[in-house]
Amino acid sequence: LNNTKTAYYSVLEFRGDSQSFDVGLGNSAATATLQNKFYIYDSTNAATRLVLDSSGNVGIGNTNPSDYNTNGNNLVVGTTSGNNGITISTASTGFGTIYFADGTSGVEQYRGMVQYDHSTDSMTFRTLSAERMRIDSSGNLLVGTTSNIANVDSSSGEGIALSAGSYGCLFYTFDAADERSELHAGWHTTHKNT
Protein backbone atom coordinates (compact mmCIF):
# COMPACT_ATOMS: atom_id res chain seq x y z
CA LEU A 1 0.00 0.00 0.00
CA ASN A 2 1.29 3.45 -0.88
CA ASN A 3 -0.62 6.49 0.26
CA THR A 4 0.92 9.81 -0.77
CA LYS A 5 -1.91 11.92 0.65
CA THR A 6 -0.63 13.07 4.04
CA ALA A 7 -4.10 13.64 5.45
CA TYR A 8 -4.99 9.97 5.25
CA TYR A 9 -3.92 6.50 6.39
CA SER A 10 -2.68 3.40 4.61
CA VAL A 11 -5.09 0.75 5.85
CA LEU A 12 -5.96 -2.91 5.46
CA GLU A 13 -9.48 -3.63 6.66
CA PHE A 14 -10.56 -6.96 8.10
CA ARG A 15 -14.32 -7.35 8.40
CA GLY A 16 -16.06 -10.23 10.11
CA ASP A 17 -19.71 -10.82 10.87
CA SER A 18 -19.45 -9.24 14.33
CA GLN A 19 -15.92 -7.85 14.68
CA SER A 20 -13.77 -5.62 12.50
CA PHE A 21 -10.12 -4.57 12.67
CA ASP A 22 -7.97 -2.14 10.69
CA VAL A 23 -4.21 -2.59 10.30
CA GLY A 24 -2.57 0.56 9.08
CA LEU A 25 0.05 3.27 9.04
CA GLY A 26 -0.76 6.81 10.03
CA ASN A 27 0.72 9.43 7.75
CA SER A 28 2.29 12.69 8.91
CA ALA A 29 -1.02 14.58 9.03
CA ALA A 30 -3.09 11.76 10.52
CA THR A 31 -4.74 11.95 13.92
CA ALA A 32 -1.98 12.99 16.33
CA THR A 33 -2.04 9.73 18.31
CA LEU A 34 -1.38 7.72 15.14
CA GLN A 35 0.99 9.93 13.18
CA ASN A 36 3.85 7.89 11.69
CA LYS A 37 2.79 4.82 13.63
CA PHE A 38 1.89 1.29 12.59
CA TYR A 39 -1.30 0.34 14.38
CA ILE A 40 -4.06 -2.19 14.91
CA TYR A 41 -7.42 -0.51 15.37
CA ASP A 42 -10.56 -2.18 16.70
CA SER A 43 -13.14 -0.45 14.53
CA THR A 44 -16.04 -2.29 16.16
CA ASN A 45 -15.24 -0.79 19.57
CA ALA A 46 -13.50 2.35 18.26
CA ALA A 47 -10.24 1.66 20.12
CA THR A 48 -6.59 1.43 19.12
CA ARG A 49 -5.31 -1.88 20.44
CA LEU A 50 -1.61 -1.74 19.47
CA VAL A 51 0.90 0.72 18.02
CA LEU A 52 4.50 0.48 16.84
CA ASP A 53 5.98 3.96 16.65
CA SER A 54 8.89 5.35 14.65
CA SER A 55 11.29 4.76 17.58
CA GLY A 56 10.46 1.06 17.59
CA ASN A 57 8.53 1.26 20.86
CA VAL A 58 5.36 -0.79 21.25
CA GLY A 59 2.18 0.24 23.01
CA ILE A 60 -0.54 -2.27 23.90
CA GLY A 61 -3.68 -0.38 24.77
CA ASN A 62 -1.47 2.70 24.61
CA THR A 63 -0.84 5.00 21.63
CA ASN A 64 2.14 6.99 22.96
CA PRO A 65 4.77 4.57 24.36
CA SER A 66 7.66 6.93 23.58
CA ASP A 67 6.24 9.51 26.00
CA TYR A 68 7.23 7.29 28.94
CA ASN A 69 10.66 7.04 30.59
CA THR A 70 13.31 6.17 28.00
CA ASN A 71 14.68 3.42 30.27
CA GLY A 72 11.37 1.57 30.17
CA ASN A 73 9.32 2.47 27.10
CA ASN A 74 10.22 -0.34 24.69
CA LEU A 75 6.93 -1.95 25.71
CA VAL A 76 4.17 0.01 27.43
CA VAL A 77 0.96 -1.74 28.47
CA GLY A 78 -2.17 0.20 29.34
CA THR A 79 -2.76 3.85 30.19
CA THR A 80 -3.30 5.89 33.33
CA SER A 81 -7.01 5.04 33.11
CA GLY A 82 -8.38 2.05 35.00
CA ASN A 83 -6.49 -1.14 35.90
CA ASN A 84 -3.87 -2.70 33.63
CA GLY A 85 -1.59 -5.70 33.92
CA ILE A 86 0.47 -8.46 32.37
CA THR A 87 -0.09 -12.17 33.03
CA ILE A 88 2.48 -14.94 32.58
CA SER A 89 0.57 -18.22 32.23
CA THR A 90 2.33 -21.57 32.66
CA ALA A 91 1.61 -25.22 33.45
CA SER A 92 0.87 -26.12 37.08
CA THR A 93 4.39 -27.56 37.32
CA GLY A 94 6.10 -24.88 35.24
CA PHE A 95 8.02 -21.68 35.85
CA GLY A 96 6.97 -18.12 35.13
CA THR A 97 10.10 -16.02 34.65
CA ILE A 98 11.35 -12.53 33.85
CA TYR A 99 15.02 -12.43 32.79
CA PHE A 100 17.43 -9.49 32.88
CA ALA A 101 20.20 -10.17 30.36
CA ASP A 102 23.35 -8.37 29.28
CA GLY A 103 24.36 -10.90 26.62
CA THR A 104 23.25 -14.00 24.72
CA SER A 105 25.53 -16.74 26.08
CA GLY A 106 25.96 -18.49 29.42
CA VAL A 107 24.92 -16.60 32.54
CA GLU A 108 24.75 -13.38 30.54
CA GLN A 109 21.27 -14.54 29.53
CA TYR A 110 20.01 -14.38 33.14
CA ARG A 111 22.17 -11.99 35.17
CA GLY A 112 19.02 -11.01 37.01
CA MET A 113 15.83 -13.01 37.32
CA VAL A 114 12.44 -13.04 39.00
CA GLN A 115 10.85 -16.48 38.87
CA TYR A 116 7.69 -18.13 40.19
CA ASP A 117 7.82 -21.91 40.58
CA HIS A 118 4.28 -23.30 40.37
CA SER A 119 5.36 -26.76 41.52
CA THR A 120 6.46 -25.39 44.92
CA ASP A 121 4.49 -22.11 44.88
CA SER A 122 7.63 -20.14 45.66
CA MET A 123 9.08 -16.97 44.19
CA THR A 124 12.81 -16.44 43.79
CA PHE A 125 14.96 -13.41 43.04
CA ARG A 126 18.43 -13.66 41.49
CA THR A 127 21.30 -11.22 41.03
CA LEU A 128 24.62 -11.99 39.32
CA SER A 129 22.91 -15.20 38.13
CA ALA A 130 22.56 -16.64 41.66
CA GLU A 131 19.51 -16.92 43.88
CA ARG A 132 19.62 -14.29 46.63
CA MET A 133 16.11 -14.32 48.05
CA ARG A 134 13.10 -16.62 48.14
CA ILE A 135 9.53 -16.39 49.39
CA ASP A 136 8.22 -19.89 49.99
CA SER A 137 4.64 -21.14 49.87
CA SER A 138 4.18 -20.46 53.61
CA GLY A 139 5.18 -16.84 53.22
CA ASN A 140 8.64 -17.28 54.76
CA LEU A 141 11.30 -14.88 53.53
CA LEU A 142 14.63 -16.63 52.95
CA VAL A 143 17.66 -14.44 52.23
CA GLY A 144 20.98 -16.04 51.34
CA THR A 145 19.52 -19.52 51.79
CA THR A 146 17.10 -21.73 49.86
CA SER A 147 16.11 -23.99 52.78
CA ASN A 148 13.15 -23.46 55.05
CA ILE A 149 13.37 -22.63 58.73
CA ALA A 150 12.65 -26.10 60.05
CA ASN A 151 15.77 -25.79 62.21
CA VAL A 152 13.97 -23.26 64.37
CA ASP A 153 11.91 -24.54 67.30
CA SER A 154 8.67 -22.89 66.28
CA SER A 155 5.35 -24.62 65.88
CA SER A 156 4.26 -22.18 63.21
CA GLY A 157 7.41 -22.24 61.06
CA GLU A 158 6.64 -18.72 59.90
CA GLY A 159 9.33 -16.08 59.76
CA ILE A 160 12.51 -14.80 58.15
CA ALA A 161 15.76 -16.69 57.62
CA LEU A 162 19.04 -14.90 56.84
CA SER A 163 22.18 -16.84 55.98
CA ALA A 164 25.78 -15.79 55.35
CA GLY A 165 27.00 -18.98 53.70
CA SER A 166 27.59 -22.04 55.88
CA TYR A 167 28.96 -20.21 58.92
CA GLY A 168 26.37 -17.68 59.93
CA CYS A 169 22.61 -17.63 60.18
CA LEU A 170 19.85 -15.66 61.81
CA PHE A 171 16.26 -16.81 62.15
CA TYR A 172 13.29 -14.75 63.27
CA THR A 173 9.99 -16.55 63.81
CA PHE A 174 6.58 -15.88 65.25
CA ASP A 175 4.99 -18.69 67.25
CA ALA A 176 1.26 -18.24 66.76
CA ALA A 177 0.37 -20.93 69.30
CA ASP A 178 2.27 -19.24 72.15
CA GLU A 179 1.88 -15.71 70.74
CA ARG A 180 5.60 -15.01 70.99
CA SER A 181 8.43 -13.96 68.76
CA GLU A 182 11.72 -15.83 68.70
CA LEU A 183 15.16 -14.79 67.49
CA HIS A 184 17.78 -17.48 66.88
CA ALA A 185 21.40 -17.04 65.86
CA GLY A 186 24.04 -19.65 65.11
CA TRP A 187 27.29 -20.33 63.30
CA HIS A 188 25.81 -23.00 61.05
CA THR A 189 22.35 -23.71 59.71
CA THR A 190 22.23 -26.92 61.70
CA HIS A 191 23.46 -25.33 64.93
CA LYS A 192 21.80 -22.44 66.66
CA ASN A 193 21.90 -20.43 69.86
CA THR A 194 18.83 -18.72 71.24
Side-chain angles (χ1 to χ4, degrees), residues 91-157:
S92 60
T93 56
F95 298 98
T97 310
I98 299 173
Y99 292 99
F100 301 88
D102 56 17
T104 58
S105 63
V107 296
E108 295 174 347
Q109 300 174 78
Y110 52 92
R111 286 290 189 191
M113 185 172 73
V114 178
Q115 183 177 79
Y116 191 87
D117 183 348
H118 288 269
S119 63
T120 60
D121 284 317
S122 63
M123 179 167 282
T124 60
F125 301 82
R126 297 188 180 213
T127 61
L128 198 60
S129 309
E131 182 177 325
R132 308 299 184 183
M133 185 172 72
R134 175 184 298 237
I135 303 173
D136 68 16
S137 60
S138 297
N140 297 316
L141 175 63
L142 310 173
V143 180
T145 179
T146 60
S147 59
N148 60 32
I149 54 176
N151 298 316
V152 180
D153 296 328
S154 171
S155 61
S156 68

Side-chain angles (χ1 to χ4, degrees), residues 132 142-147 161-171 189:
R132 308 299 184 183
L142 310 173
V143 180
T145 179
T146 60
S147 59
L162 304 174
S163 176
S166 300
Y167 298 100
C169 59
L170 179 67
F171 298 97
T189 55

Side-chain angles (χ1 to χ4, degrees), residues 11-94:
V11 181
L12 283 174
E13 299 180 348
F14 296 86
R15 300 289 181 255
D17 55 356
S18 61
Q19 183 71 46
S20 299
F21 284 94
D22 296 341
V23 177
L25 175 65
N27 295 336
S28 59
T31 302
T33 56
L34 295 178
Q35 283 180 8
N36 301 314
K37 296 174 184 176
F38 176 84
Y39 64 87
I40 297 177
Y41 181 77
D42 179 351
S43 54
T44 302
N45 296 291
T48 303
R49 300 304 187 187
L50 181 146
V51 300
L52 172 64
D53 68 18
S54 58
S55 296
N57 298 321
V58 176
I60 298 177
N62 185 294
T63 59
N64 58 328
S66 288
D67 288 355
Y68 291 80
N69 189 283
T70 56
N71 292 319
N73 64 359
N74 300 106
L75 174 63
V76 177
V77 178
T79 65
T80 55
S81 176
N83 301 316
N84 299 286
I86 298 173
T87 297
I88 299 175
S89 182
T90 68
S92 60
T93 56

